[in-house]
Amino acid sequence: MMVTLALLVLGGLAAAVAPRVLTRADWPVREPVVALWVWQCVVAAVLLCCVLAMSLSAAEAWEAVRGNVFAPAPHGVVEAYALGAHSAWAAPLAITLASGAVWTAAMLTREVRGARARRRRRRAELRVRSPRLPGEVPGTERLVVLEGDRPDAWLLRGGPAPQLVITTGALRRLKGTQLDAVLAHEQGHARARHDWLLHCSSALAHGFPQVPVFAAFRDQVHHLVELAADDCASRRFGRLTTALALVELNEDRGVFGPCPAGASHLPGRVDRLLAPAPRLTAAHRLRLTAAAALVPFVPVLVTFVPGLSALR
């Protein structure tokens, strides 16, 4: 039971401390791809703490589970975990953690189904506003132009290939390679599968709104994926072109005034493109990536310490 408690304490500390450390640092804005990796590793470590604690508490509560968990282990390893010493707490804890796992799966399923339903509605609206011509194969066009005065552009996923939908208002506003920068931005989202990151972060935040790391994970992922896509576009077409494309698409939405609508990050994104902070060195990025990759191994190490000690 002590290992289970240690895992829960470790997961709780990571869930409480990691968001404060990462949101106060300045390097994630300079390296959004690395920051996304770090956030994923932290959240994976928290979830792994819960899964391992559930497995150990279930092994302590029920003999059948214990036989499966410790089947290949020598008898001394099982004794090292002192299973049965606090069996009264083991079953309720295992059931609680298992319920959390089921709830997480349910939230992710709801998020994915909701996203698919929204895509179906947008495709139905697209067919109404831009009907197919005779002989046209559905889904083969990569760029769809809609009549509309409001400048707008978005990537419609699903189907044979993602489609960039753009209004005539946006075409009138975008000049030169600005349209190419918008396309590169949306392609950056598609290549990195940012939609799955958004689904997972939203599912965790909606399922467990009181857990700080999940709420911060959702907010940061929504911001960082846009910065990463901005970088994809700026590497191909330049920072100025990408910044101007953002301004042209969003100027009429009230996000650049003295009182921005909502909590828009667009002014900060434009400032970042026009006055970029220096990137971290390659060695620094490598150290951050390697350190983050080791974080999920900490709960695994905590779990196996008693067993490894018993094998000496």
Side-chain angles (χ1 to χ4, degrees), residues 201-272:
S201 62
S202 296
L204 289 171
H206 291 153
F208 305 95
Q210 303 303 321
V211 182
V213 71
F214 296 151
F217 181 47
R218 175 197 55 197
D219 296 340
Q220 290 297 308
V221 162
H222 278 73
H223 182 42
L224 292 171
V225 295
E226 295 299 333
L227 299 185
D230 288 345
D231 289 345
C232 286
S234 65
R235 280 194 292 269
R236 294 182 60 187
F237 301 102
R239 291 182 173 272
L240 179 60
T241 300
T242 305
L244 290 174
L246 288 176
V247 172
E248 293 294 345
L249 284 178
N250 298 280
E251 189 175 13
D252 297 334
R253 301 184 183 184
V255 296
F256 294 107
C259 300
S264 175
H265 293 289
L266 274 166
R269 289 168 56 191
V270 173
D271 290 342
R272 174 179 177 269

Side-chain angles (χ1 to χ4, degrees), residues 19 28 85 94-96 111 114 130 177 180 200 209 216 221 224 231 271 283 302:
I95 292 172
T96 301
E111 189 70 27
S130 178
T177 55
D180 296 323
C200 293
V221 162
L224 292 171
D231 289 345
D271 290 342
V302 170

